[in-house]
Every structure is written in C-alpha cells, then in structure tokens.
Amino acid sequence: MRLHLSPRTTRNIARVLPFPIIWSLTGWSFTLVEYGATGSLNSDPDTAITLGLSIILFAGLAMASLGLLVGIVELVYLDKLFRDKRFLLKIVYKLLIYALIMLSMVFLFYPIAASIELGVSFFDSSVWDKFYNFLGSRTFFSTIFQLTVCLLVCLVYAAISEHMGPNVLWSFLSGRYHQPHEEVRIFMFLDMKSSTRIAENLGSQQYFLLLRSYYE
C-alpha cells in the first residue's frame, strides 16, 4: 500500500531532515577535533564517557534524535509561534526553550551512556555518581558549548533555507548554480477582490497582517 503525503507534510519532512544530519556531522567534528588535540578518547574518565563502539553508535543516535527534535520544534512550532514577536524577544524565548530542551536531553542521555560504558543498570549508584561529577565539570560546559554550536548552525541553516528555499542552499554549496542551469518553475499570480478598498479601511499595518495570513 502506497503512502500518500500532502504537499505540506512532504515539505515539512524535507525541511526537518537536514537537522539531524547537521547535528550528527557537527558532533562528530567536535569529537575528532578533541581526539586530535588530546590524543585520547577520554581525557577525563571521572566525568566524560569513554568512546567505545556501543557508545559511538548511541552518541550518533542521540545527536540525530536531538537534531530531529530541534528541527521539528523550530520549523513546525516556534517559527509560527514567534513570527509576530520582536527580534530580541524571539531570540530570548527561543534560547530559553532550547536551553530547557538541551538540558533535558543531556540529563537523559548522559546516564544512559554512562550505564552502557560501565556495563551496569541505569539505576546503579555508580552511574549517578558519575553523573553528579559530570554536572559542573569542564566536560559539562564543553558539552553545552558543543550543543550550542550545533544549534546555531541549524538556526542559520533554517534562516537561509526559509529565505532562499530548502534546496537552494545545497545547490549553491554543491556548485549547481556555478554554471547556467535550466529549472522548471511554477508562478502563481493572485488578486484579492477589493484589495485597495480593504487596504484603505484597515491601514497599512493591519493590511500587511491580513496579506500574510492570506498567503499562508
């Protein structure tokens, strides 16, 4: 049985999918840089998780899941929720929401990773001893910094994609537009009945809000 998705759903999926990819690639980049700088997979065994095969697989899944969650929250909910807010308020609100999301994921994923590393139950005291050592340590702040960088990269990508289109950015990066290229485009021209009279009655600001809702 073939699954039929609406154009809006297909577009949202295409917009969200790059987020887990960006988070995974950025996370692995930090890991490689740290390994190159320290020459070790764990420079602080008391607070950091030693990277083994199972931890690497779990970390990749965790980063992809966090990226997917951020993509859904940003593009499906926050983009519409804060569209009418001032820029400064929008940034503050988003930072608070993402801070809660990232801290929640760290508090969830770190104990799971520690239990995998130590080979004990999630509720074992050694897992939570290591977790408490992790909080407030250099490793904790390094983790928050890495997650913040991942978030900023994703938000920049989202802003560019929203203004240029979800596939245009990748086309520029891949060199597709470095040479003349033919594409099929569909243009829709719309006219609102009595738009001039409506604009005169509403005023410029209210008419702008009406047009934005109309296009959506």
Side-chain angles (χ1 to χ4, degrees):
M1 182 177 179
R2 186 175 179 180
L3 181 62
H4 294 280
L5 300 176
S6 67
R8 181 184 294 272
T9 301
T10 303
R11 181 173 182 269
N12 285 335
I13 292 175
R15 295 167 68 203
V16 168
L17 279 180
F19 280 76
I21 297 175
I22 292 174
W23 275 75
S24 298
L25 292 177
T26 308
W28 291 126
S29 298
F30 273 111
T31 301
L32 291 175
V33 170
E34 185 174 354
Y35 177 74
T38 63
S40 172
L41 294 176
N42 189 349
S43 57
D44 191 356
D46 292 333
T47 59
I49 304 296
T50 302
L51 293 180
L53 178 60
S54 58
I55 295 298
I56 290 176
L57 294 176
F58 174 76
L61 178 62
M63 290 297 289
S65 301
L66 188 53
L68 182 62
L69 178 61
V70 169
I72 293 174
V73 171
E74 173 65 24
L75 299 180
V76 179
Y77 296 105
L78 294 189
D79 185 52
K80 295 180 180 179
L81 183 62
F82 298 130
R83 182 169 295 173
D84 297 329
K85 301 295 183 182
R86 289 181 296 167
F87 179 76
L88 182 59
L89 286 178
K90 183 186 298 186
I91 294 298
V92 172
Y93 288 151
K94 284 189 175 183
L95 286 177
L96 290 175
I97 292 174
Y98 284 126
L100 291 175
I101 292 176
M102 289 192 297
L103 287 175
S104 299
M105 294 299 101
V106 169
F107 290 173
L108 172 64
F109 288 138
Y110 184 93
I112 295 176
S115 67
I116 295 174
E117 177 199 23
L118 299 174
V120 297
S121 168
F122 177 83
F123 301 100
D124 191 88
S125 60
S126 60
V127 170
W128 296 100
D129 287 341
K130 185 164 187 172
F131 176 70
Y132 294 138
N133 292 332
F134 166 74
L135 298 177
S137 68
R138 183 188 64 178
T139 305
F140 173 77
F141 291 104
S142 174
T143 301
I144 296 300
F145 173 76
Q146 294 178 24
L147 294 178
T148 302
V149 172
C150 292
L151 176 62
L152 290 176
V153 172
C154 282
L155 292 181
V156 169
Y157 164 80
I160 295 176
S161 296
E162 285 302 300
H163 285 85
M164 301 176 59
N167 297 322
V168 176
L169 177 60
W170 171 248
S171 296
F172 273 111
L173 295 177
S174 62
R176 183 180 183 184
Y177 293 145
H178 291 182
Q179 298 296 330
H181 186 82
E182 290 187 0
E183 291 185 348
V184 177
R185 287 286 184 261
I186 298 176
F187 294 90
M188 178 170 61
F189 296 90
L190 301 176
D191 187 22
M192 182 186 295
K193 183 178 180 180
S194 304
S195 58
T196 302
R197 179 174 56 83
I198 295 174
E200 292 174 347
N201 292 335
L202 291 179
S204 58
Q205 293 185 0
Q206 290 299 319
Y207 184 64
F208 172 78
L209 296 177
L210 173 65
L211 285 179
R212 186 162 64 184
S213 301
Y214 177 72
Y215 288 126
E216 288 182 355

